[in-house]
Amino acid sequence: MARIELDRLVKRYGDDVVAVDDVTLDIADGELMILVGPSGCGKSTLLRMIVGLEDITSGELRIDGERMNETPPHERNLAMVFQNYALYPHLSVFENIAFPLRLRKLPERAVREKVERAAGMLELTEHLARRPSQLSGGQRQRVAMGRAIVRDAKAFLFDEPLSNLDARLRAQMRAEIARLQRRLGTTTVYVTHDQTEAMTLGDRVAVLEAGVLQQCATPRELYERPANLFVAGFIGAPPMNFVPARIADGRLELPFLTAPLRRDVDPAAADGRALVAGIRPESFEDARRIDPQRRETGGAFTATIELVEWLGSEQYAYAPYDTPAGMRDVLEAIAADRDREILRPQIIVSLDPERRVTEGESVPLWVDGAEIHLFDPRSGRRL
């Protein structure tokens, strides 16, 4: 196991392209750290810098306190699992797993013990004589993981290992990776663009955009207290609703409701300013079921349903809204500082899947003021 420290890491290609920009992370011994973000955000480049496949332009990489910037990949004792499995098609499962041990010229008895132990963990024992072409995608990924396990590496590095699998296998492999990591206690850095993987696997999640670290926190903290507009919109499915807002007389005004401010927002600091309000789809509740004692802590309104998505265990409704003339100046002020696309005039609402909702139906809704996040449109920061 190992502690991995990234101290202001930068990766620049030529003079113009900055793939990783001043990233600082402290990955604890035994921690499962997720690097997540959209395509091109720098997460895979960062992983390759850790393992030594990419040179570091500036900053420092330390493993267990030792500087590793110039250390060759084979001397870092890190095991990497790739997206495409990287198995040798002409070798058996046994020999694929044993390959790094053969390179170290370990005795045959030691090789067999390590391979059989790893195969037992990964439920591959009965497949050891097969070739990769005779295995399913999930089994091939387990072979790649087995090859990493037998190395007794200081850390595992996963580069989008499940992206080639179908949805059912991805869910199964997620659980297997989580169980394996907990069992071995090996420091793990895992790259993905799938937020479901990020939220279910990670002890902590580092969210990147355009090479810049936006926030690093536990999955719950990312969801409940996003640092900025990007994190708020990226984490959560369906995504957070963004609505133009402003504060007047100590209350929050949205196009379709007025509600009390969250306790952690200073009304004097934002009074009269153009703001972006963020509301999770599941924060909306049926206004008819709200306890009268709770009603004053939020705001009620009626939404006309335009589209319904029923998914069996979940149901989402899309409802357009009109921006009153008195708030159009707020919308224009926000559009000047932020992509106006985030302020589409509709909200997505999570409804009880047992309730039959039809398109065109008017639904009374309520949202607690404490569930409404506020963001500065210029900086994107959460207030």
Side-chain angles (χ1 to χ4, degrees):
M1 296 188 289
R3 177 185 179 188
I4 302 174
E5 298 171 87
L6 316 182
D7 187 1
R8 306 196 67 175
L9 286 195
V10 174
K11 178 60 183 180
R12 185 178 290 110
Y13 296 99
D15 296 328
D16 301 325
V17 180
V18 180
V20 175
D21 191 359
D22 201 30
V23 171
T24 295
L25 270 178
D26 189 346
I27 304 168
D29 190 358
E31 182 175 26
L32 200 167
M33 172 68 76
I34 305 290
L35 305 181
V36 69
S39 296
C41 72
K43 55 189 183 295
S44 289
T45 302
L46 193 59
L47 193 76
R48 291 168 66 85
M49 292 166 75
I50 295 172
V51 80
L53 299 178
E54 292 279 0
D55 293 332
I56 296 171
T57 304
S58 65
E60 189 168 272
L61 167 68
R62 295 185 294 273
I63 298 178
D64 285 337
E66 182 180 352
R67 177 184 167 94
M68 288 285 163
N69 290 41
E70 294 80 25
T71 304
H74 66 276
E75 294 182 14
R76 299 187 187 192
N77 193 24
L78 304 175
M80 192 157 179
V81 179
F82 296 92
Q83 175 181 342
N84 63 357
Y85 319 135
L87 302 179
Y88 297 100
H90 63 288
L91 297 181
S92 67
V93 168
F94 183 99
E95 290 300 330
N96 265 284
I97 295 175
F99 189 79
L101 305 178
R102 301 290 190 202
L103 291 179
R104 288 160 52 187
K105 296 181 169 52
L106 263 63
E108 184 63 31
R109 181 176 177 180
V111 170
R112 183 161 296 279
E113 287 178 355
K114 285 178 173 289
V115 171
E116 290 178 351
R117 184 180 64 192
M121 289 183 190
L122 297 166
E123 299 181 4
L124 290 170
T125 302
E126 63 184 46
H127 304 298
L128 287 175
R130 296 186 180 182
R131 300 283 176 87
S133 61
Q134 298 172 297
L135 305 178
S136 68
Q139 289 168 338
R140 274 178 269 179
Q141 191 56 271
R142 290 205 296 271
V143 174
M145 290 167 59
R147 188 167 55 193
I149 290 169
V150 297
R151 289 185 54 187
D152 294 324
K154 289 184 176 180
F156 296 150
L157 306 179
F158 289 86
D159 190 6
E160 304 208 43
L162 308 184
S163 58
N164 290 337
L165 305 180
D166 62 37
R168 182 183 63 81
L169 272 178
R170 278 203 304 272
Q172 177 184 331
M173 287 301 298
R174 269 203 316 268
E176 290 185 13
I177 289 173
R179 282 196 296 267
L180 184 65
Q181 199 275 337
R182 300 294 185 265
R183 180 176 177 180
L184 298 175
T186 305
T187 306
T188 301
V189 185
Y190 187 108
V191 163
T192 182
H193 64 273
D194 186 328
Q195 62 164 287
T196 301
E197 286 180 28
M199 298 294 277
T200 56
L201 279 175
D203 295 319
R204 284 190 300 156
V205 179
V207 183
L208 292 102
E209 181 195 23
V212 178
L213 178 63
Q214 301 295 315
Q215 187 176 2
C216 181
T218 64
R220 181 175 291 275
E221 185 177 350
L222 283 179
Y223 190 83
E224 295 180 347
R225 298 184 63 82
N228 56 38
L229 277 167
F230 177 79
V231 176
F234 189 81
I235 299 297
M240 181 180 283
N241 297 290
F242 293 123
V243 181
R246 67 182 172 193
I247 296 172
D249 299 324
R251 291 180 65 82
L252 178 64
E253 294 184 354
L254 305 184
F256 45 82
L257 65 79
T258 299
L261 278 175
R262 295 172 63 114
R263 293 181 180 178
D264 56 359
V265 175
D266 178 8
D271 193 46
R273 288 168 49 194
L275 301 171
V276 176
I279 312 173
R280 297 280 184 197
E282 58 273 23
S283 294
F284 295 95
E285 300 181 50
D286 188 327
R288 294 168 297 188
R289 300 181 181 179
I290 299 301
D291 188 313
Q293 294 182 344
R294 288 185 66 206
R295 186 172 293 275
E296 294 303 314
T297 65
F301 66 104
T302 300
T304 301
I305 305 305
E306 184 176 65
L307 177 68
V308 178
E309 292 181 341
W310 187 81
L311 305 175
S313 61
E314 299 170 304
Q315 181 173 224
Y316 298 105
Y318 293 71
Y321 63 84
D322 294 322
T323 303
M327 288 198 71
R328 286 176 191 159
D329 59 326
V330 177
L331 189 63
E332 294 304 322
I334 292 171
D337 293 312
R338 187 66 49 173
D339 181 0
R340 190 167 179 168
E341 276 299 297
I342 71 169
L343 298 175
R344 293 180 180 178
Q346 75 169 12
I347 55 173
I348 304 173
V349 179
S350 176
L351 299 174
D352 184 344
E354 295 185 2
R355 182 181 175 191
R356 295 184 180 274
V357 181
T358 59
E359 296 174 5
E361 182 179 344
S362 293
V363 177
L365 297 172
W366 179 89
V367 62
D368 192 333
E371 295 290 320
I372 303 176
H373 303 267
L374 291 177
F375 302 89
D376 184 304
R378 188 178 297 272
S379 66
R381 292 287 179 186
R382 179 177 176 273
L383 299 187

